[in-house]
């Protein structure tokens, strides 16, 4: 019998502050239409130094575990996908392991390849369970990052911060993965990178968009070939339309729309149909509205969270439509600059709606404080080792409080 593997519980952690994108555009002398319609952004999370990658990861992981009902003693693996770690040697996962008091008999490590790092962790967890090495234990996969390009840069409106944690088990109450059915695509490109010692990412913005589109074409075609061979998708017409929804990596919401039109173009051209850009302005955009837009609710209000961005999209989609999507197949595309990528899929579990509602994403957003552009700029100028004492709205708060003898310290309550 086929083994079921997938996401049993989800946890989300976001900074307590955000800026409004219309206000940010006006402060930069830019027409707000560029940020709101042009990029698809409404609000952007602002992390203060106390809300570092470890603090966000630990908080999301704690929430996922609490929501799962699975005791920590049942964990055998903890992987953190991140590209904004806090130490050259000690992984974020090691801090999370300690902060949550997890068992000693575990694999604990970080995975890195830009925004693909979280998917690398998820795939490692799935392979670990499928191989039998898990021996009935669960894996905790956390994606945590702070996206930072700098004040006044073209990338500024595409920043953000947050963490998504996923408990991966053989009893997936939220999302069951199509194990072994995926398409991958990688190339050595300099579209986005962050040299050692720099806090801000270097990016060739428009080229990075093209690299993403090239990757989604190749990865999607790989997934489609396997999905058809193994009869995961059946029927006639465009293969992408056999998926009820598709979640893409979301560096900014408009990118998901570009990616979706590209996937449709692959389907149309591979079927020998000529590419008709003006017809796709109607059909493609209608398909985007139905298949993709419902996944962008959280992304538009938090911004890019790098490794967690795809899973923030999935969380937002399920928060909005889980009950209606029970039993339906969803496509997922993960992109990490540099670059590597993977298109894969899975099926929404019955009862996922109840699970997601219990995660209370809406309450997390509502508890945030809107700050002025001047306050955001003040926070951006702070050195990374200068934590503020935040006004906390959450009882399960974890935060970075300083460095003693080269050791990072965290307060948890
Ligand atoms: N009203 C409505 N729309 C407007 C407008 C207005 N007044 N003014 C401009 N626009 C539209 C433009 O037409 C454009 O839309 P299209 O792309 O559909 O043509 C959109 O707003 C953006 O305008 P520009 O292309 O002129 O914006 P820009 O040159 O300032 O930069 C960017 C955009 C390249 C995305 C930049 O923000 C950036 O470098 N971001 C970081 C890199 C990034 O996110 N890359 C994505 C792929 S890489 C990846 O996915 C990995 C990752 O996470 C980083």
């Amino acid at each position: 019998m086929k083994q079921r593997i997938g996401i049993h519980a989800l946890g989300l952690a976001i900074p307590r502050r955000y800026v409004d994108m219309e206000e940010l555009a006006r402060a930069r002398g830019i027409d707000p239409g560029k940020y709101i319609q042009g990029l698809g952004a409404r609000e952007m999370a602002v992390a203060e130094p106390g809300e570092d990658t470890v603090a966000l990861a630990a908080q999301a992981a704690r929430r996922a575990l609490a929501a799962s009902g699975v005791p920590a003693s049942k964990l055998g693996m903890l992987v953190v996908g991140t590209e904004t770690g806090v130490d050259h040697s000690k992984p974020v996962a090691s801090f999370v392991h300690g902060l949550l008091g997890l068992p000693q008999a575990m694999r604990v490590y970080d995975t890195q390849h830009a925004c693909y790092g979280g998917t690398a962790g998820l795939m490692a967890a799935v392979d670990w369970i499928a191989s039998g090495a898990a021996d009935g234990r669960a894996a905790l996969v956390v994606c945590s990052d702070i996206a930072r390009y700098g004040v006044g840069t073209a990338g500024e409106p595409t920043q953000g911060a947050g963490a998504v944690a996923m408990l991966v088990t053989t009893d997936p109450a939220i999302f069951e993965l199509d194990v072994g059915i995926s398409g991958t695509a990688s190339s050595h490109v300099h579209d986005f990178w962050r040299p050692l010692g720099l806090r801000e990412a270097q990016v060739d913005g428009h080229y990075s968009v093209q690299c993403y589109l090239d990757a989604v074409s190749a990865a999607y075609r790989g997934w489609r070939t396997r999905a058809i061979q193994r009869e995961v998708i059946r029927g006639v017409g465009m293969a992408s339309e056999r998926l009820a929804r598709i979640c893409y990596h979301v560096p900014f919401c408009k990118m998901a729309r570009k990616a979706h039109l590209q996937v449709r173009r692959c389907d149309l051209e591979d079927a020998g149909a000529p590419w008709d850009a003006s017809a796709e302005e109607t059909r493609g955009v209608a398909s985007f509205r139905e298949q993709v837009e419902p996944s962008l609710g959280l992304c538009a209000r938090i911004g890019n969270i790098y490794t967690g961005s795809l899973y923030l999209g999935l969380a937002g989609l399920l928060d909005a439509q889980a009950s209606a999507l029970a039993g339906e197949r969803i496509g997922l595309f993960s992109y990490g600059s540099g670059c590597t990528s993977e298109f894969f899929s899975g099926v929404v579990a019955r009862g996922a709606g109840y699970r997601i509602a219990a995660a209370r994403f809406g309450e997390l957003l509502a508890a945030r404080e809107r700050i002025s552009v001047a306050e955001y700029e003040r926070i951006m100028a702070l050195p990374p080792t200068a934590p503020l004492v935040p006004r906390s709205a959450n009882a399960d708060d974890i935060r970075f409080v300083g460095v003693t003898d080269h050791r990072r310290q965290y307060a948890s309550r």
Side-chain angles (χ1 to χ4, degrees), residues 31 33-34 37-39 115 149 154-155 157-158 191-192 203 205-206 208-209 212 249 251-252 254-255 258 304 306 335 337:
D31 176 3
K34 175 171 174 179
Q37 285 88 40
L39 296 173
C115 304
Y149 296 93
T158 64
D191 60 335
F192 166 106
V203 63
H206 292 277
S208 73
V209 170
Y212 180 125
H249 168 61
F252 53 94
K254 182 72 151 309
M255 189 69 231
K258 291 178 192 287
N304 192 359
Y306 289 165
Y335 177 75
S337 287

